[in-house]
Amino acid sequence: MKIKDFYEISKPLVLDGGLATELEITYGKKFTTNLWSASCLYQDPDAIREVHLSYFRAGADIATTCSYQIPIDNFIKEGFTKQEAIELIQKSVHLAVEARDIFWKEYKEYKEYKEDQTQKRMKPMIALSFGPFGGSLGDYSEYTGNYGNDINLEKLKEFHKNNLNIFKPLLSLIDFIAFETIPSYLEIESICSLLKEEEDFDIPCWISFTCKNEDQISDGKLLIDCIKLCSKIDCIVSIGINCVIPKFIEKLVKNIREELDKNGYEKKYVICYPNAGDYRCDDKINPDEFEDYTKIWAELAKFKIIIGGCCKTTPDHIRNIRNALKSFPGLGIE
């Protein structure tokens, strides 16, 4: 998908939910290395495909690939050659595409589709997931942005450029690039600098931050400063938050929408995929509550929003997000 194609969609979109936590909960996976959920790319790729498929069936318009934590060095530490590592990493895209194609075949063969010949859902899309530098370290620094004194803008930029280069041969298969769980203003600067240098880059991107409260990202920088920086990059079509404690979401969504509109970026979307619960607090959201909150978040974003879930969210949460959006007349959500 190209950038202009994204803006032509002009309605809310449903993102998938937690991948790693769903692999843990439903498939009993235990992640003990810095590869985290990417270890399933060689241990049990079928499970990854099935999780993607479960989210499409629940109503997701977009699946994020199992590539959040994929530095080649981490695969080499597990005994793979560089070429084997690249092939495994690229497999994350193929698994998501396979799941999408299985679902789309099912959907088109569905009885209601045959009876009225009306396509009620758009063909689901694939987002290439890139996690933060801290995710590769396995020390939870994606929640603090504290990468140490040796890390500078150029090192962070090289990290993200190396990840992007792995997938350059597969860009025709994806619809979005997602820079997720970014905790640091310096890392945001590195991503924006990288995207500026990519000539003729016409793939819609989103960037989502982790936040310590309603006004600051994890390293303490003001959210509005991050929005100002990212909104200037043409290929960044959506800006928002993920892996965030649920109680902060309402004001964060409101602040992002207002800041985008104030600076002339009304067409850009907010993206919001909070946790249903995590180790940092007892603040949890069950699927029914998620449905209620979705209505609030969508209205605050003036319906220019992508809504999904992060840690501990399940297909039931995603199903309820879609149900919430369907309740608004005129949005064209089925």
Side-chain angles (χ1 to χ4, degrees), residues 159-213:
F159 170 82
H160 287 287
K161 185 172 185 177
N162 289 341
N163 286 345
L164 181 59
N165 285 341
I166 291 172
F167 290 98
K168 286 265 180 91
L170 302 179
L171 291 184
S172 63
L173 298 178
I174 67 160
D175 302 288
F176 298 92
I177 295 176
F179 295 95
E180 307 183 280
T181 328
I182 308 299
S184 152
Y185 188 82
L186 183 65
E187 188 159 19
I188 295 167
E189 286 184 302
S190 75
I191 292 167
C192 289
S193 177
L194 172 63
L195 293 176
K196 279 183 181 178
E197 290 179 3
E198 290 292 323
E199 295 182 7
D200 302 320
F201 201 71
D202 199 22
I203 297 175
C205 300
W206 78 66
I207 186 164
S208 54
F209 322 121
T210 55
C211 297
K212 65 190 301 182
N213 55 42

Side-chain angles (χ1 to χ4, degrees), residues 11-65:
K11 63 180 179 180
L13 294 171
V14 180
L15 185 62
D16 60 5
L19 176 62
T21 51
E22 186 65 8
L23 286 166
E24 291 173 324
I25 294 167
T26 301
Y27 291 89
K29 302 302 178 185
K30 305 292 183 185
F31 305 127
T32 59
T33 73
N34 284 356
L35 289 176
W36 197 40
S37 56
S39 60
C40 282
L41 290 169
Y42 61 89
Q43 292 175 346
D44 193 354
D46 290 344
I48 297 172
R49 187 189 302 106
E50 287 302 313
V51 171
H52 287 317
L53 190 53
S54 70
Y55 281 123
F56 286 135
R57 288 169 174 161
D61 295 310
I62 308 168
T64 49
T65 58

Side-chain angles (χ1 to χ4, degrees), residues 74-113:
N74 286 356
F75 280 87
I76 291 174
K77 288 175 184 176
E78 296 301 309
F80 296 98
T81 67
K82 182 177 180 179
Q83 185 57 38
E84 288 171 338
I86 290 171
E87 290 174 2
L88 279 171
I89 292 165
Q90 291 176 337
K91 190 173 186 177
S92 63
V93 172
H94 295 298
L95 289 169
V97 170
E98 288 168 13
R100 188 268 311 279
D101 292 346
I102 291 169
F103 166 76
W104 196 236
K105 184 174 185 292
E106 289 177 352
Y107 181 74
K108 290 195 294 183
E109 292 175 350
Y110 187 58
K111 182 179 178 182
E112 289 183 5
Y113 180 93

